[in-house]
Amino acid sequence: MRVSVDDDVCGGHGVCVMLCPEVFVLEDAGYARAVVEEVPAAHEAAVREAEIRCPTRAIRVQ
Ligand code: SF4
């Protein structure tokens, strides 16, 4: 599974970081970034949850 954050859409709410800090970090500019492109299997469920719960639908999972 691959993941990315669209920083044009991210509102910096931090829901993703709260749900999966192993994959998402908040940048100083206030936007989230995925620190890995390829999500480890152990974190796939948390990343899918973040995708669903992101208020601005900024998370892309493929
Ligand atoms: S939950 Fe969505 S809007 Fe909030 S920081 Fe993460 S990607 Fe950005």
Side-chain angles (χ1 to χ4, degrees), residues 11 27-28 31-34 39 48 60:
E27 298 283 12
D28 290 344
Y31 302 105
R33 178 172 67 84
V39 178
R48 289 221 181 268
R60 299 270 177 277

Side-chain angles (χ1 to χ4, degrees), residues 26-60:
L26 267 186
E27 298 283 12
D28 290 344
Y31 302 105
R33 178 172 67 84
V35 293
V36 295
E37 264 185 47
E38 196 67 43
V39 178
H43 300 311
E44 286 188 357
V47 168
R48 289 221 181 268
E49 176 98 21
E51 178 194 19
I52 291 165
R53 292 178 57 181
C54 171
T56 60
R57 308 307 307 258
I59 297 171
R60 299 270 177 277

Side-chain angles (χ1 to χ4, degrees), residues 5 9-17 26 32 50 54-56 58-59:
V5 174
V9 179
C10 172
H13 305 282
V15 175
C16 56
V17 180
L26 267 186
C54 171
T56 60
I59 297 171

